[in-house]
Amino acid sequence: MSVGTRYRAFISYSHRDQAFARALHRQLETYRVPSRLVGRETALGSVPRRLTPIFRDREDLAATGDLTASVRDALANSGTLIVVCSPDAVASRWVNEEIRAYRQLNPGGTILAAVLAGDPDADPEAEPQLACFPAALLEPGADGVASEPVAADMRREADGRRMALLKLVAGLIGVSLDQLIQRDLQRRQRRVTAITGASVLLSAIMVALTLLALSARSEAERRKAEAEDLIEFMLNDLRDNLEPVGRLDALDAVGAKVIEYYDNQGAATMTSDELGRRARAFHLLGEIDSAQGDLNNAYQHFRIAYESTSRILAVEPSMPERIYEHAQSTYWVGYFAWRRGDLDGAERRFVEYRDLAYQLVDADPDNLEWQTEVAYAHSNIGSLYVGQRRWADALIEARSAVRQFRVLAAGRPDAHAAWTELAQGLAWVASISEITDGRDASIAVLHEQLELYESGRIDSTDDWRLRRNVIAAEYALARLLITPSETTTEDDLDMALAILESAALEASALVAHEPDNLEWRLIAVRQRLWQAQAELYSGDVTGARDAYVAATGFMAHPAWGGAEGARFAVSRLHASLIEGRIFAARGDFEAAQTSVEHMLATLGQVDDWDGALERAPYYYAAGANTLADSLEAQGQTDDAHRIREDIVRRLEPIRERIRTDSAAELAYARESVDRALIRAE
């Protein structure tokens, strides 16, 4: 620890990540540095035996009334800043302010990121709630250079809790990760054996204590208190030690023993604290089941936890802490009901979660965390409705989320996270309103989104994810501007081409910044394909070919061929469609027919569109119309007529639920069929 600092590190986290931050705080302060490393001189000074003290504001500031001054003092006197990164941290104003204050007070200080949830490479357009790095973390440092934070990824599919913890320790003491792992390995193996034995022993002690409590009334209260202490140890300290070393089976046994203990008591006689511990035990089992892929058992365990927190809330209905605990149980029951395909059950719980979030705001209207809960609750319900294709209901929820983000951002010009969430909320409203209210309504919302990006409230200069979002909004607007309709004008086409030409430079910059990032390549492919579409509509076949070649160039990457998911499948279909239309525009109708038939065959083989299903009618209708045009040009008018009749037969029944470009292709096919009928008569 540097001379003049009181704290080895300062942990910054969102209120919703409090439980994890508390556990991380305890793990860091109780971690014993391997003896062979203690005393070694590094760039951060002499390696200590213990990493103390670690500052965590909700723990260390419990008695102070001046939170801001105390936090700034602690930040100024901390050697390292550890940021707990998650979607909740992204939305937390205080996390962003603590990061900025630390950089101001410690220009040369070290910042480490502990990724708890979300995905550092998530696509906000398709998965808007997965971004995990707070905006301030990606801002330029004192030298004016922005860089990706040094991250320890706690997620199971990444570093895992144990390896991520070692990464943080290595960063705090200034040694290489390999050195620390080598010294820690032998001690870890000894700990696994000791802790597993301790868990078995503690389980046996609990059983013994329970039997004694039942057999001796005079000893009941004393034994019960001892059992409760053991339960607290099992659900907190023992869990914190077993989880990093991967002993899920031992954790499972711990949770089962706690539940067995309370079942022997009878839920009807439990106090609120006992019900709370019982609920936490079921939460523990649910998390273990989820990590092991057992969704059914996870759902059942979270449902039982929900019942316990519901009973607690009935006894103490006005306590925000109880409302929050029950809201979390409610959300997880709804989430796992959704994943299991129980959409009605998911809707009931998500609506309840929204109502509980409003209760939290009523209890503390100035609490930004509670207001954010309300916005996310509306987003959750809206996402569920989008998955059910309940477009009108989804639009109501999306607009409600946007209103709430406006409240969060209003009067706070520096509220970068709230403005960013508002921009993404507008993207959802635009996407949904295209189906419910039509092309012009969606265009108006997209203009509002782009104006927000251009207003200066959201600085995307050094934030590549935000720059990607801007490009996505631009090609979404261009797609609508070039869609043939009664209100489409030549000015619309010119505007679309101008937007897409400008976005092409940004898309190329994204790929150049990180060539192996498939998300960046996907955004560049989409932009170029819509640019090719616009060039075809304007009659510039050469420009269309150049844009198409650029798109295929971005797709010529080793990782692209194996990329899975609906978004990549849609882009491959779009490329085949554009290829066929370029061949047709150049008069090579046989080649056009081959490209489009391949595309339609591929479309027929896709079983799971997972969120992109509403795009399938467009690629079917656009491909079929292009095929019919090519057949007509080759004199096969009867085959072309049958294809267009097929388009009308399939899409006419769902005309009110398809996007504007799909509706334009349907109208084109219907007009061709009507003209053929008139000629026949």
Side-chain angles (χ1 to χ4, degrees):
M1 188 162 57
S2 302
V3 176
T5 58
R6 295 201 307 270
Y7 301 100
R8 188 160 299 278
F10 181 111
I11 300 178
S12 177
Y13 61 96
S14 163
H15 176 80
R16 292 195 64 181
D17 298 331
Q18 181 174 359
F20 171 80
R22 181 170 57 246
L24 178 61
H25 184 202
R26 180 165 52 252
Q27 287 176 330
L28 289 173
E29 287 206 329
T30 58
Y31 182 85
R32 295 182 62 186
V33 177
S35 57
R36 294 186 182 182
L37 295 177
V38 174
R40 182 176 298 182
E41 292 297 324
T42 72
L44 299 180
S46 179
V47 175
R49 184 171 298 278
R50 297 276 190 178
L51 303 175
T52 57
I54 303 287
F55 182 92
R56 183 170 61 86
D57 57 358
R58 289 177 177 81
E59 184 72 25
D60 296 339
L61 297 180
T64 183
D66 186 4
L67 179 62
T68 301
S70 301
V71 167
R72 290 184 66 84
D73 179 70
L75 286 166
N77 289 280
S78 296
T80 301
L81 177 66
I82 299 174
V83 182
V84 176
C85 297
S86 70
D88 297 309
V90 172
S92 172
R93 171 188 176 187
W94 304 115
V95 170
N96 280 280
E97 288 189 355
E98 286 172 352
I99 295 170
R100 294 188 180 104
Y102 181 82
R103 282 180 168 159
Q104 177 187 6
L105 297 168
N106 295 279
T110 301
I111 300 180
L112 303 176
V115 177
L116 169 61
D119 185 352
D121 295 322
D123 181 2
E125 178 190 4
E127 302 163 312
Q129 298 180 9
L130 288 184
C132 65
F133 285 145
L137 197 59
L138 303 175
E139 293 174 354
D143 57 0
V145 177
S147 60
E148 291 286 337
V150 177
D153 198 332
M154 297 283 177
R155 299 175 299 160
R156 298 180 190 278
E157 66 272 22
D159 293 332
R161 291 287 177 93
R162 181 64 184 179
M163 183 60 68
L165 177 67
L166 292 179
K167 281 188 176 181
L168 291 177
V169 172
L172 288 173
I173 64 178
V175 301
S176 70
L177 180 60
D178 289 342
Q179 286 180 303
L180 187 60
I181 291 175
Q182 184 179 2
R183 299 293 184 243
D184 190 78
L185 182 59
Q186 291 181 339
R187 185 179 65 188
R188 177 184 174 189
Q189 292 172 340
R190 292 194 297 269
R191 286 180 63 202
V192 170
T193 303
I195 292 171
T196 304
S199 68
V200 174
L201 177 60
L202 285 169
S203 297
I205 291 173
M206 179 177 288
V207 173
L209 288 174
T210 304
L211 292 174
L212 286 173
L214 294 172
S215 62
R217 179 177 293 273
S218 61
E219 292 289 309
E221 291 302 322
R222 184 174 67 84
R223 299 298 187 190
K224 182 178 180 181
E226 292 178 1
E228 298 289 358
D229 288 341
L230 283 171
I231 289 170
E232 282 294 334
F233 174 78
M234 288 181 175
L235 292 178
N236 292 296
D237 298 278
L238 183 60
R239 173 181 177 170
D240 292 341
N241 283 284
L242 285 175
E243 192 171 27
V245 296
R247 287 309 309 267
L248 289 176
D249 54 340
L251 278 174
D252 206 352
V254 168
K257 282 297 180 184
V258 173
I259 292 165
E260 180 183 345
Y261 169 76
Y262 283 122
D263 285 347
N264 288 334
Q265 286 192 42
T269 62
M270 292 183 199
T271 66
S272 293
D273 288 340
E274 290 168 339
L275 283 170
R277 278 188 286 270
R278 181 173 182 267
R280 284 160 53 201
F282 277 105
H283 266 281
L284 171 62
L285 293 180
E287 291 173 18
I288 294 168
D289 290 332
S290 177
Q292 295 176 333
D294 190 346
L295 299 186
N296 287 331
N297 271 340
Y299 170 73
Q300 295 302 329
H301 286 138
F302 279 116
R303 187 180 58 79
I304 296 172
Y306 167 86
E307 293 170 356
S308 293
T309 55
S310 179
R311 288 186 55 193
I312 298 170
L313 186 61
V315 176
E316 300 171 328
S318 60
M319 288 185 63
E321 294 82 359
R322 300 305 192 192
I323 298 172
Y324 178 76
E325 290 170 359
H326 187 51
Q328 299 313 296
S329 294
T330 303
Y331 167 77
W332 284 112
V333 171
Y335 173 74
F336 279 101
W338 188 2
R339 290 189 63 183
R340 293 172 68 245
D342 180 8
L343 301 184
D344 291 338
E347 181 179 358
R348 287 194 297 272
R349 296 289 78 84
F350 279 171
V351 169
E352 183 181 3
Y353 171 61
R354 178 196 62 194
D355 295 343
L356 290 166
Y358 274 112
Q359 289 184 40
L360 289 170
V361 172
D362 290 341
D364 187 359
D366 296 326
N367 189 315
L368 297 180
E369 299 282 354
W370 299 160
Q371 293 181 22
T372 304
E373 289 284 317
V374 170
Y376 285 157
H378 282 297
S379 294
N380 290 337
I381 300 173
S383 297
L384 176 66
Y385 289 159
V386 166
Q388 295 174 296
R389 308 300 184 258
R390 293 168 55 182
W391 301 112
D393 294 332
L395 183 60
I396 292 172
E397 296 299 329
R399 284 175 171 165
S400 296
V402 164
R403 281 196 299 271
Q404 189 61 32
F405 282 124
R406 288 191 198 278
V407 171
L408 286 166
R412 303 179 182 90
D414 61 337
H416 179 84
W419 289 114
T420 302
E421 292 283 4
L422 174 58
Q424 286 304 100
L426 289 170
W428 273 95
V429 171
S431 177
I432 299 168
S433 61
E434 179 188 352
I435 296 175
T436 58
D437 300 332
R439 168 185 180 270
D440 293 345
S442 183
I443 287 175
V445 178
L446 286 169
H447 275 302
E448 183 181 0
Q449 182 190 9
L450 288 170
E451 287 169 3
L452 180 56
Y453 281 126
E454 294 169 1
S455 67
R457 296 187 180 97
I458 304 174
D459 184 6
S460 61
T461 305
D462 298 310
D463 189 327
W464 293 95
R465 291 179 180 81
L466 283 178
R467 290 171 71 173
R468 181 261 312 278
N469 293 349
V470 174
I471 299 172
E474 288 174 338
Y475 74 62
L477 175 59
R479 178 181 66 83
L480 292 173
L481 288 172
I482 65 176
T483 299
S485 73
E486 295 179 355
T487 58
T488 303
T489 65
E490 290 186 10
D491 289 341
D492 289 339
L493 184 56
D494 291 340
M495 182 185 297
L497 285 169
I499 290 172
L500 290 166
E501 287 169 1
S502 172
L505 300 175
E506 278 290 296
S508 297
L510 280 176
V511 177
H513 169 68
E514 198 172 348
D516 294 333
N517 189 320
L518 277 180
E519 293 297 330
W520 292 176
R521 287 187 175 274
L522 179 63
I523 209 80
V525 168
R526 287 176 169 178
Q527 182 277 328
R528 290 300 201 284
L529 292 176
W530 284 113
Q531 185 177 4
Q533 185 93 312
E535 298 286 8
L536 283 173
Y537 280 133
S538 70
D540 185 354
V541 180
T542 301
R545 180 186 177 279
D546 290 343
Y548 168 75
V549 169
T552 57
F554 288 125
M555 297 166 72
H557 187 274
W560 182 275
E564 298 180 351
R567 293 174 299 136
F568 294 96
V570 163
S571 294
R572 294 185 187 104
L573 287 173
H574 198 175
S576 295
L577 173 64
I578 295 299
E579 179 185 70
R581 287 188 163 178
I582 290 174
F583 278 132
R586 298 172 65 182
D588 190 348
F589 298 110
E590 290 185 2
Q593 180 178 344
T594 300
S595 296
V596 175
E597 286 177 341
H598 172 73
M599 186 206 80
L600 292 173
T602 302
L603 180 61
Q605 295 169 3
V606 175
D607 296 323
D608 181 14
W609 284 87
D610 188 23
L613 184 62
E614 71 273 13
R615 302 303 302 154
Y618 170 72
Y619 290 109
Y620 158 68
N625 271 324
T626 302
L627 177 59
D629 287 343
S630 298
L631 291 172
E632 278 186 345
Q634 298 174 77
Q636 302 175 44
T637 55
D638 290 342
D639 290 339
H641 182 70
R642 281 193 293 271
I643 289 172
R644 297 197 204 280
E645 285 183 325
D646 244 7
I647 296 173
V648 174
R649 178 178 57 81
R650 292 184 180 186
L651 296 193
E652 190 66 41
I654 60 171
R655 182 165 53 88
E656 300 300 324
R657 292 178 285 135
I658 58 178
R659 295 192 177 276
T660 52
D661 44 11
S662 302
E665 294 292 341
L666 170 61
Y668 178 68
R670 190 170 50 235
E671 290 169 4
S672 297
V673 170
D674 290 344
R675 285 197 302 270
L677 289 175
I678 292 172
R679 286 196 300 269
E681 290 174 355

